[in-house]
Amino acid sequence: MTETDWIRTGAAGAFYECPRWHDGAWWVSDLYADRIVTVSEDGRTDTVVGLDGDHPGGLGWLPDGSLVFVAMLARKVLRLRPDGRVVEHADLAPHCPGPANDMLVLPDGTAYVGCFGFDLNGGEHPRTAPLLRVLPDGTVEVAARDLLFPNAAVLTDGGRTLVVGETFAGRHTAFTRAPDGSLTDRRTWAQVAPAPPMAPTAEMIAGLGYAPDGCAVDGSGDLWVADAVGARVVRVRRGEGIVGQRDLPAGLGAFACGLGGDDGRTLLVCAAPDFHPGARAAAREAVLLTTRVATAA
């Protein structure tokens, strides 16, 4: 596709991530502006909640309609009360090495949260990390161990399979999800590119041919994935790998995407020139781009 096939929506931000379609609008974390915003279909951007010195990550909603979101540096899940106060929902820190990251929240209030596993921006040597399960009452358990930068997770197969991206391994990994929410039968869902050997962060990033970041699942069970090193969003199929691709406009990388709109066929991509915190916090160059896809969420 060409640059003219992308439509820009909303105001420019610092670094957009974790888009969700909810109640007729996009909800998006603006990480380095320390805020969560909504973007209406006509592009109006409003701040829902701001954090004091922390970065919001994954977000979702509890059964009572309360917004919950990850405070990445504090390694907590916070909840926005109806009166506007932000309170702690879950403390991830005892189980979460490095910053917390994206989050999948299910209709019953159960959540799965990934974490970096190391200080990515501080240049710490990569190490594996767990995927955490947060029960509706805020109890935190380890759902899976030894993942290489567990990132966005989705459910497929009618909720029976959880698929999580391993950003530093170039793959998506699947688990069978039991009725109690526990995960078993770990397996490779799609190895899109070879996993580089464990090495310093810069070397591993340079060796990645594919780095799955935020993603969404469509009605066929395929994933739309932001490739953080490829300046593209790709459609990934179980066991096959990439079966479709949309390149971003020149000068922009893709760091998350979501499916939404009234018919579920709008693909929204969080794009920015790079993912370096200092540069992104100092400017408002992140944009939200949309295009249309054939298969709805």
Side-chain angles (χ1 to χ4, degrees), residues 33-256:
D34 299 344
R35 62 176 185 158
I36 296 171
V37 303
T38 58
V39 180
S40 64
E41 288 201 282
D42 63 6
R44 189 183 72 250
T45 303
D46 296 304
T47 298
V48 176
V49 62
L51 295 183
D52 184 13
D54 207 335
H55 308 325
L59 51 88
W61 290 266
L62 297 177
D64 67 359
S66 299
L67 173 70
V68 287
F69 57 93
V70 171
M72 298 177 68
L73 303 182
R75 294 174 291 166
K76 297 179 183 291
V77 177
L78 304 180
R79 175 166 51 91
L80 179 63
R81 291 167 45 103
D83 63 7
R85 288 198 304 126
V86 174
V87 298
E88 181 177 309
H89 177 66
D91 183 8
L92 310 172
H95 309 284
C96 184
N101 195 11
D102 209 342
M103 176 171 65
L104 169 68
V105 183
L106 305 186
D108 69 356
T110 300
Y112 294 90
V113 187
C115 56
F116 286 21
F118 61 98
D119 184 356
L120 170 67
N121 298 315
E124 189 176 7
H125 199 292
R127 60 179 181 267
T128 60
L131 179 69
L132 305 178
R133 178 172 56 145
V134 180
L135 303 183
D137 66 359
T139 301
V140 181
E141 302 173 345
V142 175
R145 301 181 186 275
D146 298 325
L147 296 159
L148 271 171
F149 208 97
N151 216 318
V154 297
L155 290 184
T156 66
D157 302 328
R160 295 182 297 273
T161 301
L162 182 141
V163 181
V164 60
E166 291 189 76
T167 302
F168 272 63
R171 67 174 169 248
H172 300 271
T173 297
F175 299 87
T176 298
R177 182 175 180 272
D180 67 357
S182 60
L183 304 180
T184 60
D185 189 24
R186 178 173 177 165
R187 58 204 183 269
T188 297
W189 192 85
Q191 184 74 55
V192 177
M198 295 298 286
T201 299
E203 291 182 28
M204 288 196 74
I205 292 175
L208 285 169
Y210 170 73
D213 206 325
C215 73
V217 61
D218 69 21
S220 71
D222 290 344
L223 305 185
W224 279 101
V225 188
D227 177 5
V229 297
R232 60 182 181 169
V233 287
V234 293
R235 192 179 186 189
V236 179
R237 184 164 296 158
R238 179 176 61 86
E240 297 184 34
I242 294 173
V243 296
Q245 177 169 317
R246 306 282 179 97
D247 295 322
L248 262 64
L252 292 174
F255 300 102

